[in-house]
Amino acid sequence: MQALTRFVLRHKALVGLTWLLIAVAGVMTVSGTTHRMTNDFSMPGQAFKVDNQIVAEYGNGGSQSPYVPVLTVPAGERVTDPAVAAETGRVFGAIAAAVPDVRVADYSSTGNARFVTRDGRTTFALVFIPASTSFGGPTPAPAVTRAAEAALPHGWHFGLTGEDLLANGAPASKGTGIMVETMIGSVGALVILALVFGSFLAFLPLLIGGVSVLATFLIVGGLTEITGISQIVEFLIALVGLGVAIDYSLLVVTRWREERSAGRDNADAVAVAMQHAGRAVVFSGLTVAIGLLSMIVLPVPMLRSVGYGGVLVPLVSVVVAITLLPVILASVGPRMDWPRLRTERRPSRVFSSWAALVYRHRWVSAAAGLAIMGLLMAPALSLHLGSPGASAQATAGPAHDALVSLTSGGVPSGILTPAEVLTSGSSSASVAAHASGLPGVYTAIAPGSGAGFAKGGTSIVDVLPAAESSLPSGQAEISSVEHALVGSHGVIGVGGDGASLIDFDRTVYGDFPLMLTLIAAATFILLTRAFRSVVLALKAVVFNLISLAAAYGVMTWVFQDGHGSKAIFGVPATGAITMWVPLMVFAFLFGLSMDYEVFILSRVREAYDATGDARTAVVTGLGRTGRLVTSAAAILMLGFVSMSTSGQTDLKILATGLGAGILVDAVVVRCLLVPAMVALFGRANWWLPAWAARLLRVPAPAPDAPAMPAAETTPTSSPQAVAAPW
């Protein structure tokens, strides 16, 4: 770190110009990058193969849920009347004629009365559209609406619903947009930074965050030319990336101010800040990256792409923080530190007093912290994986109203997520008859070649479950369909969204414990070297897993069970947590929460090296970092709050999980459990066997490069007084 700092300070102009050019290139290319992002949620397994075959042969359907146009005829008429049925067929036929490469199933083409509501006035069709992987691109919904309304008889009512339309929300819940969300997070962060620094330095972490975000978008833009990158990466870079970069800047700038307040000149202050805080930033970034590496090895394209983009978020932030930030501090830092309404001369009295209190009442503090975490973790035991139900996707708007007109008439919402059974030869009719009698099946249809459901020696049978296949009950129904049909005569395979979710669960979460173990082990080794302690590293990993479980518990309690989701987010109980969200929460939260552990314990370790007294180490460490950790957590929380204003329920759940995890980790774990446990373990905290030190190549403590001035209050009588915390 010392060598790197010397290098960048010798080449200030080159470093500054390089990052300026990168930022400008990021601004110029960010729009193209976001438009090339995809919404491909392909899953591994037999359903994925079947869906691909269906799309290849028919050009539509598969895992792409159908649009569901809904017609309501005037009072006194019934859809089952031959003349009225012919008119409904003509309207749905107009849709098929106006929108290329679709297939349509309805009452007129199947004669199935399950397409009609109890009162006989409302009917629906299943319009299977071509699969779309373009994020933000045009959809066939407007064309479907125009074609239907042009053919609609006088006095009839038309509506359009479907999983995709409901997921995009009602007009009132479309969200604020990524730019507005980023502005919300930035303005909130600026307010917090102004309170922390009391000077124009508040703008510096935002500058570093902006450069980091633009640089990450630039690299991801290159990746979109090579492989598909999920649309979710856009939100993670803009909001999580901004928060992480600000956190790292906050740590370095705070230490720089502290060293200047202790009497160092600017050059020495930068060098010492980078030696201590800069190294902490590197280790923090690596722990975040390790957690996100787990996403890259998953056999799911969307999650793998999130891993690519996610790993870049902390790594780019680290590179900017250890290159551009010291250049700015060395050049204009003192001038930016005005009017200096707040200084870093002394540790925070509030957090120092709190640390002393926790240390004195260590048993009570540890018991209280564990009890709080236990209560938060408990709801996670009932977590169900799936997707939010239709009622939780949109609570108002045309798509919601069209669905209500069906469900109020006895048609279940499960018709939005049919299973697509690919059959061979002329077996579709017998397969449909068999499937219709299975438990939980609303109906099964085999319209044949006339409706586009048979082609090239294959045919498609659509099985409509009573419950949406995204919910646990619907997955159970689809699972029974798979069990009954897969391998039977004439059945090639079962596809559709529900079958894909089941395969996802089996393939990804089947190996989740192994993945969790490997990530925890890698993090433990990294932190053992960072803290020069086996106990501190093990405790950090265990507490991170506890924070993760608490985040899962909050997501389950708020969204799945519906305690507050309606009041806060306008979303009723979802019944399930989106399948990929727990993985995302694990990947990001496992590393992000470790930031605070590194921030606090690196300073505790430094204080212990200087004094040899555990109590002084805890009080000094928390006193110096408590306000920093709280501010950093608040800034990240603002980013997650901004993300939660998105119109997509999935992103609301993700933002809640990440936000709850960060808040609980910063307040309960790092400010209560960590100091209490350090106090309980005493000298055992610093245990590192000699063989482990040799294996990990842990260096002996070395003094800072710049000499400690006489004005510094830290004792300097021993070589360890100014030892690096590593």
Side-chain angles (χ1 to χ4, degrees), residues 484-695:
L485 298 183
V486 173
S488 61
H489 175 68
V491 174
I492 298 173
V494 177
D497 184 61
S500 294
L501 289 175
I502 293 171
D503 285 348
F504 181 97
D505 191 12
R506 293 170 181 165
T507 304
V508 175
Y509 283 100
D511 294 331
F512 187 68
L514 175 61
M515 181 182 72
L516 186 65
T517 301
L518 293 176
I519 296 299
T523 305
F524 169 73
I525 293 172
L526 178 68
L527 293 180
T528 299
R529 191 182 191 283
F531 298 144
R532 291 186 282 124
S533 166
V534 171
V535 175
L536 292 181
L538 180 62
K539 179 171 59 61
V541 172
V542 171
F543 282 164
N544 261 30
L545 295 177
I546 290 175
S547 295
L548 184 68
Y552 288 168
V554 172
M555 283 192 306
T556 304
W557 193 74
V558 173
F559 278 98
Q560 179 180 297
D561 301 336
H563 298 287
S565 62
K566 180 72 173 178
I568 301 172
F569 301 102
V571 176
T574 60
I577 298 299
T578 307
M579 190 74 72
W580 50 265
V581 166
L583 285 171
M584 294 276 287
V585 170
F586 161 73
F588 274 92
L589 190 59
F590 191 82
L592 288 175
S593 59
M594 194 67 78
D595 283 352
Y596 307 137
E597 187 84 3
V598 173
F599 292 175
I600 294 174
L601 288 183
S602 63
R603 202 56 191 269
V604 170
R605 177 79 225 205
E606 182 181 352
Y608 183 78
D609 287 342
T611 65
D613 181 69
R615 182 185 181 281
T616 300
V618 170
V619 173
T620 301
L622 195 57
R624 282 294 186 185
T625 59
R627 189 175 65 200
L628 168 67
V629 166
T630 303
S631 302
I635 290 170
L636 270 179
M637 278 290 297
L638 283 172
F640 299 139
V641 169
S642 300
M643 188 189 298
S644 72
T645 64
S646 166
Q648 299 181 40
T649 302
D650 292 349
L651 288 178
K652 293 180 186 292
I653 299 174
L654 175 62
T656 299
L658 291 172
I662 289 295
L663 181 63
V664 169
D665 189 85
V667 175
V668 180
V669 175
R670 308 308 168 193
C671 291
L672 184 62
L673 281 175
V674 166
M677 289 300 180
V678 170
L680 287 173
F681 286 127
R683 299 188 66 86
N685 284 296
W686 326 110
W687 177 65
L688 178 65
W691 63 266
R694 289 193 301 269
L695 184 64

Side-chain angles (χ1 to χ4, degrees), residues 449-488:
S449 59
F453 281 71
K455 186 182 294 186
T458 64
S459 57
I460 296 176
V461 174
D462 273 291
V463 180
L464 282 61
E468 297 163 57
S469 60
S470 56
L471 299 176
S473 55
Q475 289 174 32
E477 294 168 4
I478 297 298
S479 182
S480 68
V481 169
E482 283 188 313
H483 181 74
L485 298 183
V486 173
S488 61

Side-chain angles (χ1 to χ4, degrees), residues 62-420:
S63 62
Q64 182 80 38
S65 298
Y67 282 176
V68 181
V70 180
L71 295 178
T72 300
V73 302
E77 298 183 11
R78 297 182 64 84
V79 173
T80 52
D81 295 339
V84 178
E87 283 296 299
T88 62
R90 185 179 63 81
V91 174
F92 293 138
I95 295 174
V99 183
D101 300 322
V102 300
R103 52 188 163 90
V104 181
D106 65 297
Y107 173 73
S108 64
S109 64
T110 63
N112 191 324
R114 294 284 192 166
F115 278 91
V116 184
T117 56
R118 282 191 299 259
D119 62 4
R121 291 185 53 206
T122 300
T123 186
F124 68 94
L126 300 176
V127 178
F128 293 89
I129 61 175
S132 172
T133 60
S134 173
F135 176 48
T139 70
V144 169
T145 301
R146 286 194 301 269
E149 290 179 344
L152 200 66
H154 179 70
W156 288 30
H157 181 268
F158 170 79
L160 184 64
T161 189
E163 278 256 295
D164 289 347
L165 299 173
L166 290 164
N168 289 331
S173 62
K174 283 184 177 177
T176 54
I178 187 64
M179 293 304 296
V180 175
E181 292 168 22
T182 305
M183 287 300 298
I184 293 173
S186 299
V187 172
L190 180 59
V191 172
I192 295 174
L193 291 170
L195 294 174
V196 170
F197 292 122
S199 73
F200 285 102
L201 279 175
F203 290 97
L204 183 52
L206 283 176
L207 173 62
I208 298 299
V211 172
S212 301
V213 167
L214 291 171
T216 307
F217 267 118
L218 183 62
I219 300 174
V220 170
L223 290 177
T224 60
E225 301 287 357
I226 303 171
T227 184
I229 299 294
S230 171
Q231 66 194 58
I232 297 170
V233 174
E234 175 186 354
F235 293 90
L236 296 177
I237 294 174
L239 300 174
V240 178
L242 181 67
V244 168
I246 290 175
D247 278 5
Y248 295 163
S249 304
L250 187 59
L251 178 64
V252 172
V253 175
T254 299
R255 185 57 184 262
W256 170 79
R257 293 184 90 205
E258 181 185 332
E259 296 301 329
R260 280 179 53 81
S261 296
R264 294 187 187 274
D265 63 34
N266 193 44
D268 283 356
V270 172
V272 175
M274 295 309 299
Q275 183 178 350
H276 292 288
R279 289 188 180 188
V281 164
V282 171
F283 276 100
S284 296
L286 289 175
T287 56
V288 178
I290 285 175
L292 287 160
L293 283 174
S294 61
M295 308 289 282
I296 295 177
V297 301
L298 293 174
V300 183
M302 184 272 287
L303 293 178
R304 190 181 299 125
S305 75
V306 170
Y308 296 144
V311 165
L312 290 171
V313 167
L315 294 184
V316 172
S317 298
V318 167
V319 173
V320 178
I322 63 177
T323 57
L324 180 60
L325 185 54
V327 167
I328 296 175
L329 290 176
S331 303
V332 296
R335 288 194 291 274
M336 294 185 70
D337 195 11
W338 181 87
R340 299 193 71 184
L341 301 178
R342 182 187 291 276
T343 66
E344 303 295 335
R345 290 192 180 93
R346 299 180 182 85
S348 166
R349 292 181 179 178
V350 172
F351 282 100
S352 296
S353 300
W354 173 255
L357 179 65
V358 170
Y359 197 96
R360 190 163 55 250
H361 302 286
R362 63 200 74 171
W363 286 104
V364 175
S365 300
L370 292 174
I372 294 172
M373 298 304 290
L375 290 174
L376 294 174
M377 290 189 293
L381 297 174
S382 61
L383 186 150
H384 298 301
L385 295 172
S387 291
S391 61
Q393 296 280 25
T395 57
H400 170 267
D401 295 341
L403 178 61
V404 169
S405 66
L406 292 177
T407 55
S408 61
V411 176
S413 60
I415 60 102
L416 300 176
T417 58
E420 297 236 278

